[in-house]
Amino acid sequence: MLQQLYIRNYALIKEVRIELANGFTVVTGETGAGKSILLGALGLILGERADTSVLREAAEKCIVEGIFYNDRLKQHPLAVEQEWTAESAWYLRREILPTGKSRAFINDTPVTLTQLQSFAGQLVDLHQQFDTQELVEGDFQRTLLDAMAGQLPEADSYHQAYQQWQFDKRALEQLITEQERSRNEQDYLQHVWQELEEASFKTDEIESLEEQVRVAGQSEGMTQAIAAVLERLQGEGENILLQIRRSHQSLSAYENNSDSLKQWSDRLHAVDLELRDLSQEIDRAADRFRSDPEKLNAWQERLSLGFRLLKKHGCQRTADLLELQAQLQTKLRGVQSLESRIRELEVQCAKQEKALLEKANQLHHNRLKIIPTWAAQIDRLLKQVGMPTARFQVELRETSLQAYGIDACIFLMDANYSEGMGEPNWQPVRKVASGGELSRLMLCIKSLVADRLDLPTMIFDEIDAGISGEAAKQEGRILQSLGNDKQVICITHQPQVAAKGGDHLHVSKAATGQGIETQVNRLSEEERIETLARMMSGEQPTEAARNNARELRLA
């Protein structure tokens, strides 16, 4: 419930603190006194937008704060996230700064406007005269019907399952689209991968082949150079080895006679041995440098294949081709896994659809079952609020699976049905009900579903417009009955409604040294009698009017 509303620097209100009781509270006052200002201020902490035009004093900020009691909100996602316990109360505050900036707080914690709207929406149901537009909307009608059928949790559970089904269906459609796109390129990917797979290049093979072919291209020159060296070392006649050997022999004959000759002789012998070893090594390796036409041709063919693939795929090195081959293999495996995922999702979506259809049929059955009883209850209440010839009905039109089942819900009415004159002429309420009739219909409906919708505080703004007399009295009784279990606040011009309130707040304007101010006062019983009498007979009520007011209070 809303225990206290504090308003400062809002429109005609300088500062006011309003204590509110549980049960049925009425708010009265002359037209223009500021009753709508109270709702405007309350709207701020319910998350409505505002600007600096609401400031009474342009240089000061506006503050609106509401203190609420509601244990159920401990389970709200925002309360859980912020670890709010609210053992005593919830404090909702809104500030409008002179700069035009708006700030919102819950329990002194800054929140966004969207968060405030979500949270406050669980605390207050604000019904204004033109809010009855909701009554002609299919989703709202379906919610009311499910509330009466006692299946709001089941409807929400179905809705969540439906959303998951829709999400999975979209995922399936995307996978199928991706599969179709993949199939168009799969043959090409397979061809390119197969070409690279058959080429079967090893790491750095193209670069190695390029070097081998380059070296092989110079083999003839190298072979000739080796042959010339061997000829000089080993050839017939005066070759180098023979000359060195003879030189060594010439000196070795005298090496015992001179240390120098001994050293030279030893060095010539060492050179002779080294050159003989080198000559033998060159001779043994000479075959490796001779050209092998078959091998060279094989190298050139494979190198040509490598160059062609490098050019075809815009690559620079063997490593680039191998990386491309690995990427293609991954893509081809992805196509195969895509097919597997599609099959899984198809099975999953089919199961979801079957389960949803079963739940939707149960929701449909429960809705059909409650309609006759609910329509009869509303017809009875409509008679009480001055619509004796009105009849109410609900039509369910079966559809395909939708967000809340297989029903399109339509509220119907015959505002002028006469018993014994045939069947009612059912028409959608939006076509046949006036604004006042819609307001009364909404009151009748809310009085029946309030407990099921779990609306802790219900506020009605001039819902009794266009009625008077007995109809207004009956409307007051309905609101009074609602107040037995809920906090109900009603702004009214009807004395018959105002008389039923357990608490009575009076809004007035007064001239002060700082201009006109809106003031809110709680009335005593005698003040209530006087106010009711004025509402019935004007500013100078007669004693008869006061007696009528007392009767209204007792009725």
PDB file of all heavy atoms in Angstrom, residues 15-16 62 70 82 118 159 192 207 231 272 308 374 376 383 389 393 424 428 432-433 445 484 490-491 501 514 521 548:
ATOM      1  N   GLU A  15       4.662  22.535  -0.911  1.00  0.00           N
ATOM      2  CA  GLU A  15       5.115  21.365  -0.169  1.00  0.00           C
ATOM      3  C   GLU A  15       3.914  20.751   0.536  1.00  0.00           C
ATOM      4  O   GLU A  15       3.150  21.450   1.181  1.00  0.00           O
ATOM      5  CB  GLU A  15       6.197  21.724   0.846  1.00  0.00           C
ATOM      6  CG  GLU A  15       6.779  20.501   1.559  1.00  0.00           C
ATOM      7  CD  GLU A  15       7.932  20.874   2.468  1.00  0.00           C
ATOM      8  OE1 GLU A  15       7.862  21.946   3.104  1.00  0.00           O
ATOM      9  OE2 GLU A  15       8.908  20.105   2.548  1.00  0.00           O
ATOM     10  N   VAL A  16       3.754  19.452   0.371  1.00  0.00           N
ATOM     11  CA  VAL A  16       2.651  18.778   1.032  1.00  0.00           C
ATOM     12  C   VAL A  16       3.078  17.350   1.341  1.00  0.00           C
ATOM     13  O   VAL A  16       3.813  16.714   0.570  1.00  0.00           O
ATOM     14  CB  VAL A  16       1.373  18.795   0.153  1.00  0.00           C
ATOM     15  CG1 VAL A  16       1.561  17.982  -1.111  1.00  0.00           C
ATOM     16  CG2 VAL A  16       0.169  18.293   0.940  1.00  0.00           C
ATOM     17  N   CYS A  62      12.223  19.810  -8.097  1.00  0.00           N
ATOM     18  CA  CYS A  62      10.960  19.192  -7.659  1.00  0.00           C
ATOM     19  C   CYS A  62      11.285  17.825  -7.075  1.00  0.00           C
ATOM     20  O   CYS A  62      12.104  17.079  -7.619  1.00  0.00           O
ATOM     21  CB  CYS A  62      10.012  19.056  -8.847  1.00  0.00           C
ATOM     22  SG  CYS A  62       8.659  17.891  -8.606  1.00  0.00           S
ATOM     23  N   ASN A  70       5.072  -3.456   0.666  1.00  0.00           N
ATOM     24  CA  ASN A  70       4.701  -4.598  -0.173  1.00  0.00           C
ATOM     25  C   ASN A  70       5.804  -5.644  -0.076  1.00  0.00           C
ATOM     26  O   ASN A  70       6.875  -5.497  -0.679  1.00  0.00           O
ATOM     27  CB  ASN A  70       4.507  -4.163  -1.636  1.00  0.00           C
ATOM     28  CG  ASN A  70       3.907  -5.277  -2.485  1.00  0.00           C
ATOM     29  OD1 ASN A  70       4.285  -6.440  -2.361  1.00  0.00           O
ATOM     30  ND2 ASN A  70       2.981  -4.921  -3.360  1.00  0.00           N
ATOM     31  N   GLN A  82      19.829  -5.902  -6.297  1.00  0.00           N
ATOM     32  CA  GLN A  82      20.370  -4.889  -5.392  1.00  0.00           C
ATOM     33  C   GLN A  82      20.420  -5.364  -3.931  1.00  0.00           C
ATOM     34  O   GLN A  82      20.884  -4.632  -3.059  1.00  0.00           O
ATOM     35  CB  GLN A  82      19.516  -3.610  -5.474  1.00  0.00           C
ATOM     36  CG  GLN A  82      19.529  -2.939  -6.835  1.00  0.00           C
ATOM     37  CD  GLN A  82      20.879  -2.344  -7.175  1.00  0.00           C
ATOM     38  OE1 GLN A  82      21.652  -1.996  -6.301  1.00  0.00           O
ATOM     39  NE2 GLN A  82      21.162  -2.233  -8.476  1.00  0.00           N
ATOM     40  N   SER A 118       9.103  -0.443 -14.076  1.00  0.00           N
ATOM     41  CA  SER A 118       8.888  -1.868 -13.817  1.00  0.00           C
ATOM     42  C   SER A 118       8.574  -2.126 -12.355  1.00  0.00           C
ATOM     43  O   SER A 118       7.667  -2.896 -12.027  1.00  0.00           O
ATOM     44  CB  SER A 118      10.131  -2.658 -14.243  1.00  0.00           C
ATOM     45  OG  SER A 118      10.032  -4.005 -13.831  1.00  0.00           O
ATOM     46  N   HIS A 159       3.740 -18.600 -22.190  1.00  0.00           N
ATOM     47  CA  HIS A 159       4.358 -17.505 -22.948  1.00  0.00           C
ATOM     48  C   HIS A 159       5.876 -17.660 -23.003  1.00  0.00           C
ATOM     49  O   HIS A 159       6.500 -17.459 -24.054  1.00  0.00           O
ATOM     50  CB  HIS A 159       3.989 -16.166 -22.303  1.00  0.00           C
ATOM     51  CG  HIS A 159       4.571 -14.980 -23.014  1.00  0.00           C
ATOM     52  ND1 HIS A 159       4.297 -14.686 -24.334  1.00  0.00           N
ATOM     53  CD2 HIS A 159       5.442 -14.026 -22.592  1.00  0.00           C
ATOM     54  CE1 HIS A 159       4.957 -13.594 -24.689  1.00  0.00           C
ATOM     55  NE2 HIS A 159       5.664 -13.184 -23.651  1.00  0.00           N
ATOM     56  N   VAL A 192      38.326 -27.453 -54.432  1.00  0.00           N
ATOM     57  CA  VAL A 192      39.584 -26.785 -54.072  1.00  0.00           C
ATOM     58  C   VAL A 192      40.338 -27.601 -53.029  1.00  0.00           C
ATOM     59  O   VAL A 192      41.557 -27.804 -53.143  1.00  0.00           O
ATOM     60  CB  VAL A 192      39.305 -25.365 -53.535  1.00  0.00           C
ATOM     61  CG1 VAL A 192      40.590 -24.733 -53.024  1.00  0.00           C
ATOM     62  CG2 VAL A 192      38.697 -24.500 -54.623  1.00  0.00           C
ATOM     63  N   GLU A 207      59.404 -23.985 -51.786  1.00  0.00           N
ATOM     64  CA  GLU A 207      60.637 -23.222 -51.652  1.00  0.00           C
ATOM     65  C   GLU A 207      61.861 -24.118 -51.803  1.00  0.00           C
ATOM     66  O   GLU A 207      62.865 -23.734 -52.440  1.00  0.00           O
ATOM     67  CB  GLU A 207      60.671 -22.523 -50.292  1.00  0.00           C
ATOM     68  CG  GLU A 207      59.656 -21.403 -50.115  1.00  0.00           C
ATOM     69  CD  GLU A 207      58.244 -21.916 -49.824  1.00  0.00           C
ATOM     70  OE1 GLU A 207      58.095 -23.124 -49.533  1.00  0.00           O
ATOM     71  OE2 GLU A 207      57.308 -21.104 -49.866  1.00  0.00           O
ATOM     72  N   GLU A 231      91.490 -32.860 -62.978  1.00  0.00           N
ATOM     73  CA  GLU A 231      92.542 -32.991 -63.987  1.00  0.00           C
ATOM     74  C   GLU A 231      93.839 -32.382 -63.483  1.00  0.00           C
ATOM     75  O   GLU A 231      94.925 -32.958 -63.650  1.00  0.00           O
ATOM     76  CB  GLU A 231      92.106 -32.303 -65.285  1.00  0.00           C
ATOM     77  CG  GLU A 231      93.153 -32.319 -66.401  1.00  0.00           C
ATOM     78  CD  GLU A 231      93.486 -33.727 -66.864  1.00  0.00           C
ATOM     79  OE1 GLU A 231      92.602 -34.634 -66.755  1.00  0.00           O
ATOM     80  OE2 GLU A 231      94.609 -33.956 -67.324  1.00  0.00           O
ATOM     81  N   ASP A 272     100.685 -32.646 -49.341  1.00  0.00           N
ATOM     82  CA  ASP A 272     100.473 -33.780 -50.238  1.00  0.00           C
ATOM     83  C   ASP A 272      99.338 -34.663 -49.723  1.00  0.00           C
ATOM     84  O   ASP A 272      98.433 -35.050 -50.480  1.00  0.00           O
ATOM     85  CB  ASP A 272     101.787 -34.588 -50.331  1.00  0.00           C
ATOM     86  CG  ASP A 272     101.653 -35.799 -51.268  1.00  0.00           C
ATOM     87  OD1 ASP A 272     100.964 -35.646 -52.312  1.00  0.00           O
ATOM     88  OD2 ASP A 272     102.162 -36.887 -50.937  1.00  0.00           O
ATOM     89  N   ARG A 308      51.424 -22.779 -59.824  1.00  0.00           N
ATOM     90  CA  ARG A 308      50.051 -22.586 -60.335  1.00  0.00           C
ATOM     91  C   ARG A 308      49.055 -22.448 -59.187  1.00  0.00           C
ATOM     92  O   ARG A 308      48.175 -21.575 -59.200  1.00  0.00           O
ATOM     93  CB  ARG A 308      49.666 -23.766 -61.232  1.00  0.00           C
ATOM     94  CG  ARG A 308      48.254 -23.649 -61.817  1.00  0.00           C
ATOM     95  CD  ARG A 308      47.976 -24.760 -62.805  1.00  0.00           C
ATOM     96  NE  ARG A 308      48.033 -26.072 -62.201  1.00  0.00           N
ATOM     97  CZ  ARG A 308      47.036 -26.612 -61.501  1.00  0.00           C
ATOM     98  NH1 ARG A 308      45.914 -25.927 -61.304  1.00  0.00           N
ATOM     99  NH2 ARG A 308      47.162 -27.818 -60.995  1.00  0.00           N
ATOM    100  N   TRP A 374     -18.387 -15.487 -15.496  1.00  0.00           N
ATOM    101  CA  TRP A 374     -17.832 -14.137 -15.437  1.00  0.00           C
ATOM    102  C   TRP A 374     -18.774 -13.122 -16.095  1.00  0.00           C
ATOM    103  O   TRP A 374     -19.029 -12.041 -15.567  1.00  0.00           O
ATOM    104  CB  TRP A 374     -16.468 -14.130 -16.112  1.00  0.00           C
ATOM    105  CG  TRP A 374     -15.682 -12.864 -15.884  1.00  0.00           C
ATOM    106  CD1 TRP A 374     -15.629 -12.129 -14.744  1.00  0.00           C
ATOM    107  CD2 TRP A 374     -14.847 -12.194 -16.828  1.00  0.00           C
ATOM    108  NE1 TRP A 374     -14.795 -11.044 -14.901  1.00  0.00           N
ATOM    109  CE2 TRP A 374     -14.295 -11.060 -16.172  1.00  0.00           C
ATOM    110  CE3 TRP A 374     -14.480 -12.437 -18.143  1.00  0.00           C
ATOM    111  CZ2 TRP A 374     -13.418 -10.179 -16.806  1.00  0.00           C
ATOM    112  CZ3 TRP A 374     -13.598 -11.573 -18.772  1.00  0.00           C
ATOM    113  CH2 TRP A 374     -13.083 -10.454 -18.112  1.00  0.00           C
ATOM    114  N   ALA A 376     -21.990 -13.320 -16.437  1.00  0.00           N
ATOM    115  CA  ALA A 376     -23.170 -13.117 -15.584  1.00  0.00           C
ATOM    116  C   ALA A 376     -22.841 -12.189 -14.417  1.00  0.00           C
ATOM    117  O   ALA A 376     -23.653 -11.327 -14.032  1.00  0.00           O
ATOM    118  CB  ALA A 376     -23.670 -14.470 -15.069  1.00  0.00           C
ATOM    119  N   LYS A 383     -25.779  -3.585 -13.974  1.00  0.00           N
ATOM    120  CA  LYS A 383     -27.086  -3.101 -13.539  1.00  0.00           C
ATOM    121  C   LYS A 383     -26.937  -2.186 -12.330  1.00  0.00           C
ATOM    122  O   LYS A 383     -27.610  -1.150 -12.224  1.00  0.00           O
ATOM    123  CB  LYS A 383     -28.001  -4.283 -13.184  1.00  0.00           C
ATOM    124  CG  LYS A 383     -28.447  -5.096 -14.389  1.00  0.00           C
ATOM    125  CD  LYS A 383     -29.339  -6.251 -13.950  1.00  0.00           C
ATOM    126  CE  LYS A 383     -29.762  -7.076 -15.156  1.00  0.00           C
ATOM    127  NZ  LYS A 383     -30.616  -8.232 -14.753  1.00  0.00           N
ATOM    128  N   THR A 389     -29.697  -2.310 -19.049  1.00  0.00           N
ATOM    129  CA  THR A 389     -29.962  -3.034 -20.299  1.00  0.00           C
ATOM    130  C   THR A 389     -28.681  -3.531 -20.955  1.00  0.00           C
ATOM    131  O   THR A 389     -28.721  -4.078 -22.055  1.00  0.00           O
ATOM    132  CB  THR A 389     -30.693  -2.103 -21.290  1.00  0.00           C
ATOM    133  OG1 THR A 389     -29.853  -0.983 -21.612  1.00  0.00           O
ATOM    134  CG2 THR A 389     -32.006  -1.625 -20.713  1.00  0.00           C
ATOM    135  N   GLN A 393     -20.325 -10.086 -22.925  1.00  0.00           N
ATOM    136  CA  GLN A 393     -19.965 -11.425 -23.375  1.00  0.00           C
ATOM    137  C   GLN A 393     -18.515 -11.419 -23.861  1.00  0.00           C
ATOM    138  O   GLN A 393     -17.966 -10.373 -24.196  1.00  0.00           O
ATOM    139  CB  GLN A 393     -20.890 -11.902 -24.502  1.00  0.00           C
ATOM    140  CG  GLN A 393     -20.725 -13.351 -24.905  1.00  0.00           C
ATOM    141  CD  GLN A 393     -20.862 -14.310 -23.743  1.00  0.00           C
ATOM    142  OE1 GLN A 393     -19.858 -14.690 -23.148  1.00  0.00           O
ATOM    143  NE2 GLN A 393     -22.106 -14.663 -23.383  1.00  0.00           N
ATOM    144  N   PRO A 424     -29.162 -11.083 -28.032  1.00  0.00           N
ATOM    145  CA  PRO A 424     -28.432  -9.812 -27.961  1.00  0.00           C
ATOM    146  C   PRO A 424     -27.687  -9.536 -29.264  1.00  0.00           C
ATOM    147  O   PRO A 424     -27.242 -10.455 -29.959  1.00  0.00           O
ATOM    148  CB  PRO A 424     -27.457 -10.026 -26.793  1.00  0.00           C
ATOM    149  CG  PRO A 424     -28.043 -11.132 -25.983  1.00  0.00           C
ATOM    150  CD  PRO A 424     -28.757 -12.023 -26.956  1.00  0.00           C
ATOM    151  N   PRO A 428     -18.242  -5.541 -30.630  1.00  0.00           N
ATOM    152  CA  PRO A 428     -17.056  -5.256 -29.816  1.00  0.00           C
ATOM    153  C   PRO A 428     -17.279  -4.010 -28.974  1.00  0.00           C
ATOM    154  O   PRO A 428     -17.872  -3.029 -29.440  1.00  0.00           O
ATOM    155  CB  PRO A 428     -15.951  -5.037 -30.858  1.00  0.00           C
ATOM    156  CG  PRO A 428     -16.414  -5.809 -32.059  1.00  0.00           C
ATOM    157  CD  PRO A 428     -17.904  -5.682 -32.069  1.00  0.00           C
ATOM    158  N   VAL A 432     -19.447   0.002 -29.443  1.00  0.00           N
ATOM    159  CA  VAL A 432     -20.777   0.325 -28.934  1.00  0.00           C
ATOM    160  C   VAL A 432     -20.781   1.025 -27.584  1.00  0.00           C
ATOM    161  O   VAL A 432     -21.803   1.581 -27.185  1.00  0.00           O
ATOM    162  CB  VAL A 432     -21.641  -0.945 -28.834  1.00  0.00           C
ATOM    163  CG1 VAL A 432     -21.867  -1.552 -30.205  1.00  0.00           C
ATOM    164  CG2 VAL A 432     -20.998  -1.970 -27.901  1.00  0.00           C
ATOM    165  N   ALA A 433     -19.673   1.020 -26.854  1.00  0.00           N
ATOM    166  CA  ALA A 433     -19.662   1.594 -25.508  1.00  0.00           C
ATOM    167  C   ALA A 433     -19.089   3.008 -25.540  1.00  0.00           C
ATOM    168  O   ALA A 433     -18.050   3.265 -26.152  1.00  0.00           O
ATOM    169  CB  ALA A 433     -18.841   0.716 -24.562  1.00  0.00           C
ATOM    170  N   ILE A 445     -15.203  -4.904 -14.037  1.00  0.00           N
ATOM    171  CA  ILE A 445     -14.236  -5.974 -14.311  1.00  0.00           C
ATOM    172  C   ILE A 445     -13.137  -5.972 -13.261  1.00  0.00           C
ATOM    173  O   ILE A 445     -12.780  -7.024 -12.704  1.00  0.00           O
ATOM    174  CB  ILE A 445     -13.646  -5.801 -15.729  1.00  0.00           C
ATOM    175  CG1 ILE A 445     -14.722  -6.117 -16.790  1.00  0.00           C
ATOM    176  CG2 ILE A 445     -12.428  -6.698 -15.921  1.00  0.00           C
ATOM    177  CD1 ILE A 445     -14.284  -5.851 -18.213  1.00  0.00           C
ATOM    178  N   ASN A 484     -12.176  -3.248   0.955  1.00  0.00           N
ATOM    179  CA  ASN A 484     -12.105  -4.191   2.063  1.00  0.00           C
ATOM    180  C   ASN A 484     -10.811  -5.006   2.029  1.00  0.00           C
ATOM    181  O   ASN A 484     -10.323  -5.455   3.063  1.00  0.00           O
ATOM    182  CB  ASN A 484     -13.309  -5.143   2.042  1.00  0.00           C
ATOM    183  CG  ASN A 484     -14.602  -4.422   2.362  1.00  0.00           C
ATOM    184  OD1 ASN A 484     -14.598  -3.401   3.065  1.00  0.00           O
ATOM    185  ND2 ASN A 484     -15.718  -4.926   1.854  1.00  0.00           N
ATOM    186  N   CYS A 490      -9.864   7.059  -4.818  1.00  0.00           N
ATOM    187  CA  CYS A 490     -10.734   7.486  -5.911  1.00  0.00           C
ATOM    188  C   CYS A 490     -10.922   9.000  -5.888  1.00  0.00           C
ATOM    189  O   CYS A 490     -11.363   9.568  -4.878  1.00  0.00           O
ATOM    190  CB  CYS A 490     -12.093   6.781  -5.814  1.00  0.00           C
ATOM    191  SG  CYS A 490     -13.241   7.253  -7.135  1.00  0.00           S
ATOM    192  N   ILE A 491     -10.603   9.639  -6.995  1.00  0.00           N
ATOM    193  CA  ILE A 491     -10.903  11.067  -7.172  1.00  0.00           C
ATOM    194  C   ILE A 491     -12.298  11.162  -7.773  1.00  0.00           C
ATOM    195  O   ILE A 491     -12.574  10.583  -8.824  1.00  0.00           O
ATOM    196  CB  ILE A 491      -9.856  11.722  -8.092  1.00  0.00           C
ATOM    197  CG1 ILE A 491      -8.481  11.679  -7.417  1.00  0.00           C
ATOM    198  CG2 ILE A 491     -10.242  13.147  -8.412  1.00  0.00           C
ATOM    199  CD1 ILE A 491      -7.355  12.205  -8.268  1.00  0.00           C
ATOM    200  N   GLY A 501     -16.353   6.456   1.190  1.00  0.00           N
ATOM    201  CA  GLY A 501     -14.950   6.348   1.541  1.00  0.00           C
ATOM    202  C   GLY A 501     -14.723   6.165   3.023  1.00  0.00           C
ATOM    203  O   GLY A 501     -15.404   6.778   3.852  1.00  0.00           O
ATOM    204  N   GLN A 514       2.962  33.903  -1.196  1.00  0.00           N
ATOM    205  CA  GLN A 514       3.805  33.491  -2.317  1.00  0.00           C
ATOM    206  C   GLN A 514       2.976  33.037  -3.509  1.00  0.00           C
ATOM    207  O   GLN A 514       3.475  32.350  -4.390  1.00  0.00           O
ATOM    208  CB  GLN A 514       4.743  32.359  -1.863  1.00  0.00           C
ATOM    209  CG  GLN A 514       5.721  32.808  -0.782  1.00  0.00           C
ATOM    210  CD  GLN A 514       6.608  31.675  -0.326  1.00  0.00           C
ATOM    211  OE1 GLN A 514       6.212  30.518  -0.370  1.00  0.00           O
ATOM    212  NE2 GLN A 514       7.805  32.007   0.125  1.00  0.00           N
ATOM    213  N   ASN A 521      -6.154  18.362   2.724  1.00  0.00           N
ATOM    214  CA  ASN A 521      -6.524  18.190   4.132  1.00  0.00           C
ATOM    215  C   ASN A 521      -7.356  16.932   4.319  1.00  0.00           C
ATOM    216  O   ASN A 521      -8.223  16.609   3.490  1.00  0.00           O
ATOM    217  CB  ASN A 521      -7.326  19.396   4.629  1.00  0.00           C
ATOM    218  CG  ASN A 521      -6.493  20.675   4.589  1.00  0.00           C
ATOM    219  OD1 ASN A 521      -5.488  20.793   5.267  1.00  0.00           O
ATOM    220  ND2 ASN A 521      -6.925  21.628   3.769  1.00  0.00           N
ATOM    221  N   ASN A 548     -29.222  15.018   4.181  1.00  0.00           N
ATOM    222  CA  ASN A 548     -29.020  14.079   3.056  1.00  0.00           C
ATOM    223  C   ASN A 548     -27.603  13.510   3.094  1.00  0.00           C
ATOM    224  O   ASN A 548     -27.373  12.321   2.806  1.00  0.00           O
ATOM    225  CB  ASN A 548     -29.271  14.774   1.724  1.00  0.00           C
ATOM    226  CG  ASN A 548     -30.744  15.019   1.478  1.00  0.00           C
ATOM    227  OD1 ASN A 548     -31.598  14.338   2.062  1.00  0.00           O
ATOM    228  ND2 ASN A 548     -31.062  15.972   0.618  1.00  0.00           N
TER     229      ASN A 548
END
